[in-house]
């Protein structure tokens, strides 16, 4: 009987190994869709228009032949490249204490409607967060929510990846907008 | 005898735990080089030259001191920054029904030869694909094939990573080019 | 007794399955913080200033309304977009044999201090390295060291991810700087 039991154990062992290896082989394909970390912020963009040098947090630095550097171009701003250094706040009040800076660029990239492409970082250096979160992706501005990629991070956000859902929380003419960003990290190290 | 069996079970249990953990620890280093998904598309770029406003899908929005915004610069276009919103098709016919848009920018970045750096997204919103694929990387244009990185995705392409192989399928003067993009995704969620 | 043993085996089987799945479910959360590969390089940037066309490896191609294309703008160069094709060397001597090229762009993005945002690739095509490493992230230039993300790679660096630590090794006025880059890859395929 002992051998019978040994056999049972051997078989269970063998089966478990198979299960293990099949799981591991595909481990980079089966992922939980539950975030390992979530964060929400607002950031505030005041575009330079030739008259607001003191308050402006962003500026047009590239424009198509039909545009210029103090006014967004015709055809839904197509081709305008904007560099920004925007304050990040925890609520939607631009006067709240900034917890970091959103730094990088966006490009308006469609003639028929407002859309843009973003490359930027959230830069944190407070007691609560130290380190950067890096973002890239297409932003179809007219959609209520839109997703871009978290492509990496440093410091507290070492090697992270995820999705950031962007919502336009306020839009005031050509000078001010406020975005809400809900960050869901799915890879945390 | 019972205790003997218990021991055997305990040992097998223990061994399996060791195996498990050793596998898990290295799970981010052992990856299959077989794609979990492959996709092929063409996209079509018509550069604005001052006279083709109606058909143009891209425009120069930055140029070096020796360049301008309606003609690619000398020295192999070095420094020209182009923003684009190009139709994506399943075959090489620009008149085929577009299945999405390629949106973003490229910069010519070498004086001696044509090379560029790309940051863009494939934006899909059809019955077949919903969501974006985000790309970044160097494109040594004169090579027959060249690889850039898939750095993330959203929707159907949630959190994906991979490689996109780019081929110049057609090149007509300074106004039109068509790229074939073979996407191989190695991380699918 | 046999049934008792079977039960024991069944239970151990069951427990191991639970353990397995709980490990696998979180396998993308437990990562070793030890690099799978480290590399160190220098790269050298000579900015075009209107008079050094022959030696320049980079050029301003976008600038804010208050700037121009042959001189970095006031307010800590805010808004200046630079395209570069810089030689990579193994030591800090610009005359050493280049082992590759650093190609891409950076944008100065803060008025109060020097900071920038980088999107670029290391392009290798030597006997030692073939393939590209792609980078993105915020570079707070005045910090002694700063980390950006390795967002992907091709060839020898297929699908890699990691962190690059940047140090300013030399800075000579507005024309020349040299960066040391210590690359630590944490995902190697």
């Amino acid at each position: 009987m002992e051998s019978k039991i040994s056999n049972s154990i051997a078989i269970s062992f063998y089966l478990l190994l198979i299960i293990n290896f099949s799981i591991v082989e595909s481990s980079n394909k089966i992922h939980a869709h539950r975030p390992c970390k979530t964060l929400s912020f607002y950031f505030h963009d005041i575009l330079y228009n030739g008259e607001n040098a003191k308050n402006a947090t962003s500026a047009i630095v590239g424009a198509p032949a039909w545009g210029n550097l103090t006014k967004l171009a015709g055809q839904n701003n197509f081709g305008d490249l904007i560099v920004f250094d925007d304050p990040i706040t925890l609520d939607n009040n631009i006067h709240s204490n900034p917890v970091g800076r959103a730094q990088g660029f966006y490009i308006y990239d469609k003639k028929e409607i407002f859309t843009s492409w973003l490359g930027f970082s959230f830069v944190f250096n407070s007691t609560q967060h130290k380190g950067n979160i890096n973002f890239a992706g297409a932003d179809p501005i007219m959609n209520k929510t839109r997703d871009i990629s978290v492509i990496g991070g440093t410091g507290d956000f070492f090697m992270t990846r995820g999705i950031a859902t962007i919502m336009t929380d306020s839009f005031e003419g050509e000078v001010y907008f406020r975005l809400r960003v809900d960050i869901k990290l799915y890879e945390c190290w």
Side-chain angles (χ1 to χ4, degrees), chain A residues 44-99:
Chain A
H44 308 261
D45 192 83
I46 301 173
L47 183 62
Y48 178 67
N49 66 0
E51 291 166 13
N52 58 352
K54 229 174 183 163
N55 294 327
T57 64
S58 67
I60 305 171
V61 307
W66 61 90
N68 67 61
L69 299 179
T70 49
K71 195 171 163 37
L72 291 163
Q75 303 200 59
N76 292 292
N77 314 348
F78 180 82
D80 282 327
L81 167 65
I82 288 92
V83 175
F84 62 95
D85 168 36
D86 292 347
I88 301 172
T89 57
L90 293 175
D91 61 20
N92 66 3
N93 186 342
I94 191 175
H95 301 299
S96 294
N97 200 32
V99 296

Side-chain angles (χ1 to χ4, degrees), chain A residues 2-189:
Chain A
E2 223 176 309
S3 76
K4 219 182 189 172
I5 295 163
S6 304
N7 278 355
S8 300
I9 293 172
I11 290 169
S12 76
F13 207 130
Y14 179 72
L15 282 173
L16 282 162
L17 279 179
I18 291 176
I19 292 166
N20 275 325
F21 280 113
S22 62
I23 288 170
V24 168
E25 217 184 314
S26 61
S27 75
N28 63 326
K29 289 172 194 173
I30 304 168
H31 295 288
H33 281 228
R34 216 172 339 120
C36 44
K37 194 169 204 169
T38 60
L39 299 151
S40 281
F41 298 102
Y42 293 82
F43 71 94
H44 308 261
D45 192 83
I46 301 173
L47 183 62
Y48 178 67
N49 66 0
E51 291 166 13
N52 58 352
K54 229 174 183 163
N55 294 327
T57 64
S58 67
I60 305 171
V61 307
W66 61 90
N68 67 61
L69 299 179
T70 49
K71 195 171 163 37
L72 291 163
Q75 303 200 59
N76 292 292
N77 314 348
F78 180 82
D80 282 327
L81 167 65
I82 288 92
V83 175
F84 62 95
D85 168 36
D86 292 347
I88 301 172
T89 57
L90 293 175
D91 61 20
N92 66 3
N93 186 342
I94 191 175
H95 301 299
S96 294
N97 200 32
V99 296
R101 306 296 293 190
Q103 299 183 328
F105 72 95
Y106 54 91
I107 302 183
Y108 287 99
D109 61 5
K110 198 168 181 64
K111 292 182 195 166
E112 295 80 11
I113 198 173
F114 292 119
T115 65
S116 72
W117 203 88
L118 304 163
F120 69 102
S121 302
F122 274 8
V123 178
F124 297 104
N125 188 13
S126 69
T127 48
Q128 207 174 354
H129 302 298
K130 276 197 206 318
N132 298 351
I133 304 175
N134 300 323
F135 305 87
D139 178 7
I141 298 170
M142 303 313 286
N143 294 6
K144 201 186 164 199
T145 68
R146 49 272 185 190
D147 287 346
I148 62 171
S149 292
V150 173
I151 58 173
T154 65
D156 292 350
F157 307 101
F158 177 79
M159 287 290 288
T160 200
R161 292 185 73 233
I163 300 284
T165 300
I166 295 178
M167 286 150 280
T168 303
D169 194 58
S170 175
F171 184 77
E172 297 171 13
E174 294 212 335
V175 170
Y176 176 73
F177 66 77
R178 178 173 66 237
L179 299 183
R180 177 183 164 143
V181 183
D182 288 348
I183 301 170
K184 288 148 284 180
L185 303 177
Y186 295 92
E187 291 191 16
C188 301
W189 284 58

